[in-house]
């Protein structure tokens, strides 16, 4: 899975 | 992105529309805690700082962030201008500096990294977990609430509750685990448990929300 930089939730 | 996460975000969005609708339809902000709204604005402003450098990373996230910041600022504006006659500082008295101080302490003790952004992010997560307390405290003092206000609180509480299965899903299926958000999210949901219980046993059965 592609790891998003930083926080990917709201 | 899984179903729980999307439903949680939608619930959050819906809660804000219900709050604005409540003020519009009753022409009043009676029963709404200004302190809680100000805490939420602090939460969004400290958590969504990254909107300036990740604007194109996810249009979904960025637009939601903007909506949360702007709608909460607008709510506070309405409460302090158009609907200010219904504000009752005698009832809305919860000592919010303890919440801000506690969240600040936890943020300094347990950030993922010691950068301004990460400490503020952690602060926003802890502050969000307790930001509803002035509102619940106010509800307890008045002992009752308008039905539309209870729908607002239900949607707001359901948002973080729906994030819990989202975190479990991500932990088992994606190997992604965010301990700060998860622990704070569980605390946040637990704070709503009494409210959820009364909402379920009274409001959903067509009765008025009244505390025993």
């Amino acid at each position: 899975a592609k790891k998003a930089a930083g926080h990917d939730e709201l | 992105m899984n179903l729980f996460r999307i439903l949680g975000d939608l619930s959050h969005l819906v809660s804000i529309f219900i709050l604005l609708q409540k003020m519009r339809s009753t022409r009043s902000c009676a029963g709404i805690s200004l302190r809680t709204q100000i805490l939420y604005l602090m939460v969004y402003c400290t958590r969504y700082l990254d909107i300036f450098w990740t604007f194109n990373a996810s249009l979904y996230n960025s637009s939601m962030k903007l909506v949360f910041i702007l709608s909460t600022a607008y709510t506070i504006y309405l409460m302090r201008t158009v609907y200010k006659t219904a504000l009752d500082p005698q009832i809305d008295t919860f000592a919010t500096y303890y919440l801000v101080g506690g969240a600040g302490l936890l943020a300094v003790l347990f950030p993922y990294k010691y950068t301004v952004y990460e400490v503020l992010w952690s602060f926003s997560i802890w502050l969000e977990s307790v930001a509803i307390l002035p509102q619940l405290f106010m509800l307890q003092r008045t002992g009752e609430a308008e039905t539309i206000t209870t729908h607002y609180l239900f949607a707001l509480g359901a948002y973080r509750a729906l994030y819990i299965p989202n975190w479990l899903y991500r932990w088992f299926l994606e190997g992604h685990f965010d301990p700060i958000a998860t622990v704070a999210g569980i605390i946040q949901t637990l704070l709503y448990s009494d409210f959820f219980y009364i909402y379920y046993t009274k409001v959903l059965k067509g009765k008025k929300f009244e505390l025993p």
Side-chain angles (χ1 to χ4, degrees):
Chain A
K2 190 163 63 87
K3 203 77 180 154
H7 301 285
D8 60 356
E9 287 176 350
L10 294 166
Chain B
M1 198 64 120
N2 56 66
L3 189 65
F4 302 113
R5 159 83 197 274
I6 293 177
L7 289 177
D9 289 346
L10 287 180
S11 184
H12 195 180
L13 204 57
V14 164
S15 76
I16 291 170
F17 283 112
I18 297 176
L19 177 57
L20 290 170
Q21 184 54 34
K22 176 250 157 355
M23 292 195 288
R24 192 189 316 216
S25 64
T26 62
R27 294 170 183 274
S28 164
C29 66
I32 303 297
S33 165
L34 180 64
R35 289 177 182 232
T36 281
Q37 296 304 318
I38 290 171
L39 290 181
Y40 277 120
L41 187 61
M42 285 177 72
V43 165
Y44 303 139
C45 289
T46 48
R47 188 177 313 164
Y48 300 153
L49 280 177
D50 65 340
I51 203 167
F52 294 110
W53 63 88
T54 59
F55 193 81
N56 282 319
S58 153
L59 195 58
Y60 171 83
N61 272 10
S62 301
S63 14
M64 290 293 244
K65 288 171 183 176
L66 268 182
V67 169
F68 292 143
I69 295 172
L70 295 177
S71 60
T72 306
Y74 181 58
T75 299
I76 293 170
Y77 162 78
L78 287 179
M79 289 180 79
R80 300 189 69 161
T81 55
V82 186
Y83 303 121
K84 71 174 174 196
T85 47
L87 284 181
D88 194 344
Q90 309 277 34
I91 300 177
D92 192 11
T93 55
F94 196 90
T96 41
Y97 17 84
Y98 290 115
L99 303 181
V100 176
L105 189 67
L106 286 170
V108 170
L109 291 176
F110 311 112
Y112 286 132
K113 275 185 219 151
Y114 278 101
T115 61
V116 174
Y117 168 66
E118 286 293 334
V119 171
L120 285 177
W121 179 87
S122 179
F123 168 77
S124 81
I125 292 289
W126 292 114
L127 186 61
E128 182 191 342
S129 72
V130 292
I132 199 63
L133 284 176
Q135 176 66 64
L136 293 177
F137 179 70
M138 200 171 154
L139 199 64
Q140 200 155 46
R141 290 189 78 168
T142 50
E144 54 175 40
E146 288 162 326
T147 301
I148 191 164
T149 303
T150 66
H151 294 328
Y152 158 65
L153 290 172
F154 175 77
L156 188 59
Y159 135 69
R160 220 50 174 171
L162 283 161
Y163 260 66
I164 297 173
N166 154 63
W167 290 319
L168 284 171
Y169 179 99
R170 297 192 67 180
W171 185 24
F172 290 118
L173 280 98
E174 297 168 19
H176 171 100
F177 182 54
D178 184 336
I180 296 178
T182 307
V183 172
I186 291 171
I187 294 173
Q188 183 169 345
T189 304
L190 286 175
L191 292 182
Y192 278 89
S193 46
D194 263 11
F195 169 82
F196 283 149
Y197 178 75
I198 303 172
Y199 183 81
Y200 177 74
T201 53
K202 296 213 169 160
V203 181
L204 287 188
K205 295 185 174 144
K207 290 184 236 165
K208 186 177 164 56
F209 184 97
E210 272 173 324
L211 294 178

